[in-house]
Amino acid sequence: MKALLAALLLAAVPALARETAIPITVDPRLETLGIVQMLAGGAPPDGFRVPRIAYARRARARFARFKDDPAVALTRALPAYFDFRNRTDAVIRRGPLPDMGPRWFTPGYMVDQAGGPEKFEAWMKALAAFARRADVAGFVRENRGLLDPGAKDFEADVARRDYLGVLQRYAGFPLDGGYRVYLSPFILPGSQENTVLRLDDGTYRIMSVVGPRVEGGSPEFPPEDFVATAGHEISHGLLDTLGDLHRRRVLRSQGVYGRLPWHCYNDWQQCVKENVVRAVMLRLIARDLGPAAAEKQLDEEGRAKYPYLGELADLLKTYESGRDRWPDLAAYYPKLLAVFPEDPPAVSSAAAAAAAVDAGPGPEWIYEETRPFSTPGQRRLALEYLDRALAARKTSRLLRLRSAFRLLQGDAAGAEADASAAAALDPADPAALLARGLARV
């Protein structure tokens, strides 16, 4: 256990420069959603509850006169399959009050669940109008203290555990973005909502909405409930870019997907990312709550659903004890992907397509290499990760990939240098020769 603590705390690794504090707030947008849902009555959507605490009683009394508000009527008419978790996710993607206008990308399925774009926007505008008329922000300011001491205890524990600092030191590089936690008593414990957004500028915006347990009328936010959440969501922001950069290797194990007993996010690329972040989450749980808690979490995740998860966690132990060899997870990530067995030739169309591109680049080579990163900001982030990976070990594929990104970013000289280095490492790599030729045009 002492070795694990030492590996995760990494006292020998310099402190990372990025901010590690996690803001924890009660957001009037989310309280508007909860209050309107409470006034709508009827069968509660999945993930919603009205807790038996003073905060909720005071809210019901304060806002009872708005029971016929348009926001309440529109909420009452929403389909049940647009559950409270998705409603919460949709709200935190909006801008702040008083307008709650569009801010971040909202998946089409959420809009469709609400009845389509027109009904979705009408509902959002009605929520914002309710918040203004009813002064929900004022209610939150006046009654935020009713969630204490549970909320204050939770904030102190999150600060003490330093999730962002620990996980950034563990990964060996900083999170390019931020993590924010919202507390809302209307979220059913166990149904918390987590949102991970990669923005156009390349940074990550990660948000979790956490509801309290209620014991004897007092809200509590148990820290042990949050260890897995923090480990999982922060790891997405740190590691998902690596999954996209190694997309070709992921596709070559596509056949594994068909052998899983469940849909696994309906996408093998996402499924692999989920496996990796869960493995890091298990290591954080082992650090904070002990190995038995990590084994329990592995059982809860499902050993049949995630048959490679235990092996991934064991590989991370090797990473932890060998940081002199692997300075960061950018260098070690290919070792994790080796857990997923590669397909025999032509097992899947996706694997065959990947092999064809690797064997002989065509006119769409640059697009195929870089398409998970559609904006200059996202490509900037990809280059930062490639720089780290290449600092540890130079391979023809990674050099060729960095050449493609540099070319798209307007760095023709850097692209040519990388392509030439790739060709020197592997003279038979036609993609490296093509990349060098494109950089010289």
Side-chain angles (χ1 to χ4, degrees), residues 274-282 297-298 301-303 306-314 339-340:
E274 294 290 341
N275 272 269
V276 171
V277 301
R278 278 172 166 79
V280 175
M281 172 192 75
L282 291 176
Q297 184 69 35
L298 180 56
E301 298 294 329
R303 294 176 188 266
Y306 295 99
Y308 300 95
L309 189 50
E311 189 175 351
L312 283 168
D314 285 341
V339 164
F340 305 105

mmCIF file of all heavy atoms in Angstrom, residues 274-282 297-298 301-303 306-314 339-340:
data_model
loop_
_atom_site.group_PDB
_atom_site.id
_atom_site.type_symbol
_atom_site.label_atom_id
_atom_site.label_comp_id
_atom_site.label_asym_id
_atom_site.label_seq_id
_atom_site.Cartn_x
_atom_site.Cartn_y
_atom_site.Cartn_z
ATOM 1 N N GLU A 274 -13.507 4.202 -22.415
ATOM 2 C CA GLU A 274 -14.175 3.934 -21.145
ATOM 3 C C GLU A 274 -13.428 2.888 -20.336
ATOM 4 O O GLU A 274 -13.330 2.982 -19.104
ATOM 5 C CB GLU A 274 -15.617 3.476 -21.399
ATOM 6 C CG GLU A 274 -16.523 4.522 -22.014
ATOM 7 C CD GLU A 274 -16.858 5.643 -21.056
ATOM 8 O OE1 GLU A 274 -16.704 5.464 -19.839
ATOM 9 O OE2 GLU A 274 -17.279 6.726 -21.535
ATOM 10 N N ASN A 275 -12.885 1.874 -20.992
ATOM 11 C CA ASN A 275 -12.091 0.877 -20.285
ATOM 12 C C ASN A 275 -10.873 1.506 -19.634
ATOM 13 O O ASN A 275 -10.560 1.232 -18.466
ATOM 14 C CB ASN A 275 -11.648 -0.218 -21.266
ATOM 15 C CG ASN A 275 -12.645 -1.347 -21.400
ATOM 16 O OD1 ASN A 275 -12.582 -2.336 -20.681
ATOM 17 N ND2 ASN A 275 -13.590 -1.189 -22.322
ATOM 18 N N VAL A 276 -10.176 2.371 -20.382
ATOM 19 C CA VAL A 276 -8.939 2.965 -19.862
ATOM 20 C C VAL A 276 -9.229 3.879 -18.683
ATOM 21 O O VAL A 276 -8.550 3.815 -17.640
ATOM 22 C CB VAL A 276 -8.195 3.718 -20.983
ATOM 23 C CG1 VAL A 276 -7.023 4.512 -20.406
ATOM 24 C CG2 VAL A 276 -7.703 2.740 -22.043
ATOM 25 N N VAL A 277 -10.241 4.743 -18.799
ATOM 26 C CA VAL A 277 -10.500 5.666 -17.691
ATOM 27 C C VAL A 277 -11.002 4.902 -16.468
ATOM 28 O O VAL A 277 -10.713 5.295 -15.327
ATOM 29 C CB VAL A 277 -11.483 6.783 -18.080
ATOM 30 C CG1 VAL A 277 -10.952 7.586 -19.248
ATOM 31 C CG2 VAL A 277 -12.870 6.273 -18.353
ATOM 32 N N ARG A 278 -11.716 3.821 -16.671
ATOM 33 C CA ARG A 278 -12.147 3.020 -15.521
ATOM 34 C C ARG A 278 -10.967 2.358 -14.829
ATOM 35 O O ARG A 278 -10.969 2.188 -13.600
ATOM 36 C CB ARG A 278 -13.175 1.975 -15.961
ATOM 37 C CG ARG A 278 -14.585 2.524 -16.084
ATOM 38 C CD ARG A 278 -15.536 1.508 -16.703
ATOM 39 N NE ARG A 278 -16.915 1.927 -16.513
ATOM 40 C CZ ARG A 278 -17.537 2.845 -17.239
ATOM 41 N NH1 ARG A 278 -16.871 3.439 -18.227
ATOM 42 N NH2 ARG A 278 -18.787 3.179 -16.997
ATOM 43 N N ALA A 279 -9.971 1.980 -15.599
ATOM 44 C CA ALA A 279 -8.780 1.388 -14.985
ATOM 45 C C ALA A 279 -8.069 2.418 -14.101
ATOM 46 O O ALA A 279 -7.648 2.104 -12.972
ATOM 47 C CB ALA A 279 -7.844 0.865 -16.066
ATOM 48 N N VAL A 280 -7.910 3.645 -14.590
ATOM 49 C CA VAL A 280 -7.307 4.698 -13.768
ATOM 50 C C VAL A 280 -8.180 4.969 -12.545
ATOM 51 O O VAL A 280 -7.677 5.164 -11.430
ATOM 52 C CB VAL A 280 -7.113 5.976 -14.603
ATOM 53 C CG1 VAL A 280 -6.612 7.121 -13.723
ATOM 54 C CG2 VAL A 280 -6.128 5.728 -15.741
ATOM 55 N N MET A 281 -9.482 4.969 -12.732
ATOM 56 C CA MET A 281 -10.409 5.159 -11.618
ATOM 57 C C MET A 281 -10.186 4.094 -10.540
ATOM 58 O O MET A 281 -10.161 4.406 -9.337
ATOM 59 C CB MET A 281 -11.846 5.083 -12.138
ATOM 60 C CG MET A 281 -12.923 5.073 -11.066
ATOM 61 S SD MET A 281 -14.558 4.627 -11.754
ATOM 62 C CE MET A 281 -14.325 2.847 -11.989
ATOM 63 N N LEU A 282 -10.003 2.840 -10.954
ATOM 64 C CA LEU A 282 -9.769 1.768 -9.982
ATOM 65 C C LEU A 282 -8.493 2.013 -9.189
ATOM 66 O O LEU A 282 -8.438 1.740 -7.985
ATOM 67 C CB LEU A 282 -9.699 0.416 -10.688
ATOM 68 C CG LEU A 282 -11.009 -0.112 -11.279
ATOM 69 C CD1 LEU A 282 -10.759 -1.412 -12.037
ATOM 70 C CD2 LEU A 282 -12.064 -0.344 -10.187
ATOM 71 N N GLN A 297 -15.484 -2.145 -6.591
ATOM 72 C CA GLN A 297 -15.875 -1.300 -7.722
ATOM 73 C C GLN A 297 -15.774 -2.078 -9.030
ATOM 74 O O GLN A 297 -16.627 -1.928 -9.918
ATOM 75 C CB GLN A 297 -14.995 -0.058 -7.778
ATOM 76 C CG GLN A 297 -15.386 0.935 -8.877
ATOM 77 C CD GLN A 297 -16.716 1.623 -8.602
ATOM 78 O OE1 GLN A 297 -17.045 1.909 -7.464
ATOM 79 N NE2 GLN A 297 -17.473 1.874 -9.664
ATOM 80 N N LEU A 298 -14.747 -2.908 -9.161
ATOM 81 C CA LEU A 298 -14.607 -3.730 -10.360
ATOM 82 C C LEU A 298 -15.793 -4.674 -10.510
ATOM 83 O O LEU A 298 -16.322 -4.864 -11.613
ATOM 84 C CB LEU A 298 -13.294 -4.513 -10.304
ATOM 85 C CG LEU A 298 -12.994 -5.433 -11.486
ATOM 86 C CD1 LEU A 298 -13.018 -4.670 -12.800
ATOM 87 C CD2 LEU A 298 -11.639 -6.120 -11.290
ATOM 88 N N GLU A 301 -18.704 -2.513 -11.666
ATOM 89 C CA GLU A 301 -18.609 -2.174 -13.086
ATOM 90 C C GLU A 301 -19.043 -3.353 -13.947
ATOM 91 O O GLU A 301 -19.652 -3.156 -15.004
ATOM 92 C CB GLU A 301 -17.169 -1.771 -13.448
ATOM 93 C CG GLU A 301 -16.654 -0.540 -12.737
ATOM 94 C CD GLU A 301 -17.394 0.724 -13.124
ATOM 95 O OE1 GLU A 301 -17.853 0.815 -14.276
ATOM 96 O OE2 GLU A 301 -17.527 1.620 -12.267
ATOM 97 N N GLY A 302 -18.723 -4.553 -13.502
ATOM 98 C CA GLY A 302 -19.110 -5.761 -14.216
ATOM 99 C C GLY A 302 -17.925 -6.413 -14.897
ATOM 100 O O GLY A 302 -17.443 -5.913 -15.919
ATOM 101 N N ARG A 303 -17.445 -7.519 -14.344
ATOM 102 C CA ARG A 303 -16.272 -8.177 -14.931
ATOM 103 C C ARG A 303 -16.594 -8.773 -16.297
ATOM 104 O O ARG A 303 -15.710 -8.869 -17.158
ATOM 105 C CB ARG A 303 -15.755 -9.245 -13.971
ATOM 106 C CG ARG A 303 -15.210 -8.659 -12.664
ATOM 107 C CD ARG A 303 -14.791 -9.745 -11.688
ATOM 108 N NE ARG A 303 -14.455 -9.209 -10.390
ATOM 109 C CZ ARG A 303 -13.221 -8.870 -9.995
ATOM 110 N NH1 ARG A 303 -12.210 -9.011 -10.821
ATOM 111 N NH2 ARG A 303 -13.022 -8.384 -8.775
ATOM 112 N N TYR A 306 -16.746 -5.686 -18.741
ATOM 113 C CA TYR A 306 -15.419 -5.130 -18.984
ATOM 114 C C TYR A 306 -14.366 -6.213 -18.722
ATOM 115 O O TYR A 306 -13.636 -6.169 -17.730
ATOM 116 C CB TYR A 306 -15.172 -3.926 -18.078
ATOM 117 C CG TYR A 306 -16.075 -2.749 -18.356
ATOM 118 C CD1 TYR A 306 -17.202 -2.505 -17.582
ATOM 119 C CD2 TYR A 306 -15.801 -1.881 -19.415
ATOM 120 C CE1 TYR A 306 -18.029 -1.420 -17.846
ATOM 121 C CE2 TYR A 306 -16.621 -0.793 -19.681
ATOM 122 C CZ TYR A 306 -17.738 -0.569 -18.894
ATOM 123 O OH TYR A 306 -18.554 0.497 -19.156
ATOM 124 N N PRO A 307 -14.258 -7.208 -19.615
ATOM 125 C CA PRO A 307 -13.370 -8.340 -19.337
ATOM 126 C C PRO A 307 -11.887 -7.988 -19.311
ATOM 127 O O PRO A 307 -11.074 -8.783 -18.814
ATOM 128 C CB PRO A 307 -13.689 -9.313 -20.482
ATOM 129 C CG PRO A 307 -14.266 -8.471 -21.566
ATOM 130 C CD PRO A 307 -14.993 -7.366 -20.877
ATOM 131 N N TYR A 308 -11.499 -6.830 -19.827
ATOM 132 C CA TYR A 308 -10.095 -6.441 -19.854
ATOM 133 C C TYR A 308 -9.745 -5.431 -18.764
ATOM 134 O O TYR A 308 -8.595 -5.005 -18.652
ATOM 135 C CB TYR A 308 -9.745 -5.841 -21.225
ATOM 136 C CG TYR A 308 -9.963 -6.813 -22.362
ATOM 137 C CD1 TYR A 308 -11.155 -6.805 -23.080
ATOM 138 C CD2 TYR A 308 -8.998 -7.760 -22.694
ATOM 139 C CE1 TYR A 308 -11.373 -7.708 -24.111
ATOM 140 C CE2 TYR A 308 -9.207 -8.668 -23.726
ATOM 141 C CZ TYR A 308 -10.397 -8.643 -24.428
ATOM 142 O OH TYR A 308 -10.610 -9.542 -25.446
ATOM 143 N N LEU A 309 -10.725 -5.067 -17.954
ATOM 144 C CA LEU A 309 -10.516 -3.985 -16.998
ATOM 145 C C LEU A 309 -9.521 -4.364 -15.910
ATOM 146 O O LEU A 309 -8.659 -3.569 -15.534
ATOM 147 C CB LEU A 309 -11.858 -3.580 -16.387
ATOM 148 C CG LEU A 309 -11.888 -2.331 -15.518
ATOM 149 C CD1 LEU A 309 -11.219 -1.158 -16.200
ATOM 150 C CD2 LEU A 309 -13.331 -1.975 -15.164
ATOM 151 N N GLY A 310 -9.615 -5.569 -15.392
ATOM 152 C CA GLY A 310 -8.673 -5.998 -14.366
ATOM 153 C C GLY A 310 -7.242 -6.017 -14.875
ATOM 154 O O GLY A 310 -6.306 -5.592 -14.179
ATOM 155 N N GLU A 311 -7.049 -6.490 -16.107
ATOM 156 C CA GLU A 311 -5.708 -6.525 -16.683
ATOM 157 C C GLU A 311 -5.179 -5.118 -16.929
ATOM 158 O O GLU A 311 -3.987 -4.848 -16.727
ATOM 159 C CB GLU A 311 -5.741 -7.320 -17.991
ATOM 160 C CG GLU A 311 -4.362 -7.607 -18.560
ATOM 161 C CD GLU A 311 -4.411 -8.495 -19.794
ATOM 162 O OE1 GLU A 311 -5.502 -9.029 -20.109
ATOM 163 O OE2 GLU A 311 -3.360 -8.630 -20.447
ATOM 164 N N LEU A 312 -6.051 -4.218 -17.361
ATOM 165 C CA LEU A 312 -5.628 -2.823 -17.543
ATOM 166 C C LEU A 312 -5.161 -2.215 -16.219
ATOM 167 O O LEU A 312 -4.143 -1.512 -16.167
ATOM 168 C CB LEU A 312 -6.782 -2.003 -18.114
ATOM 169 C CG LEU A 312 -7.088 -2.160 -19.602
ATOM 170 C CD1 LEU A 312 -8.427 -1.520 -19.932
ATOM 171 C CD2 LEU A 312 -5.980 -1.557 -20.452
ATOM 172 N N ALA A 313 -5.918 -2.471 -15.139
ATOM 173 C CA ALA A 313 -5.528 -1.942 -13.837
ATOM 174 C C ALA A 313 -4.186 -2.517 -13.396
ATOM 175 O O ALA A 313 -3.347 -1.810 -12.817
ATOM 176 C CB ALA A 313 -6.613 -2.243 -12.807
ATOM 177 N N ASP A 314 -3.947 -3.792 -13.683
ATOM 178 C CA ASP A 314 -2.659 -4.391 -13.337
ATOM 179 C C ASP A 314 -1.520 -3.765 -14.144
ATOM 180 O O ASP A 314 -0.413 -3.552 -13.623
ATOM 181 C CB ASP A 314 -2.707 -5.898 -13.583
ATOM 182 C CG ASP A 314 -3.514 -6.641 -12.519
ATOM 183 O OD1 ASP A 314 -3.714 -6.068 -11.421
ATOM 184 O OD2 ASP A 314 -3.949 -7.775 -12.788
ATOM 185 N N VAL A 339 -3.606 -4.727 -24.467
ATOM 186 C CA VAL A 339 -4.523 -5.650 -23.784
ATOM 187 C C VAL A 339 -5.586 -6.168 -24.743
ATOM 188 O O VAL A 339 -6.028 -7.318 -24.634
ATOM 189 C CB VAL A 339 -5.185 -4.928 -22.585
ATOM 190 C CG1 VAL A 339 -6.406 -5.696 -22.082
ATOM 191 C CG2 VAL A 339 -4.188 -4.744 -21.461
ATOM 192 N N PHE A 340 -6.002 -5.318 -25.691
ATOM 193 C CA PHE A 340 -7.074 -5.711 -26.594
ATOM 194 C C PHE A 340 -6.478 -6.434 -27.795
ATOM 195 O O PHE A 340 -5.734 -5.845 -28.577
ATOM 196 C CB PHE A 340 -7.835 -4.461 -27.062
ATOM 197 C CG PHE A 340 -8.357 -3.618 -25.933
ATOM 198 C CD1 PHE A 340 -7.738 -2.421 -25.609
ATOM 199 C CD2 PHE A 340 -9.444 -4.030 -25.177
ATOM 200 C CE1 PHE A 340 -8.206 -1.635 -24.563
ATOM 201 C CE2 PHE A 340 -9.909 -3.259 -24.129
ATOM 202 C CZ PHE A 340 -9.291 -2.071 -23.818
#
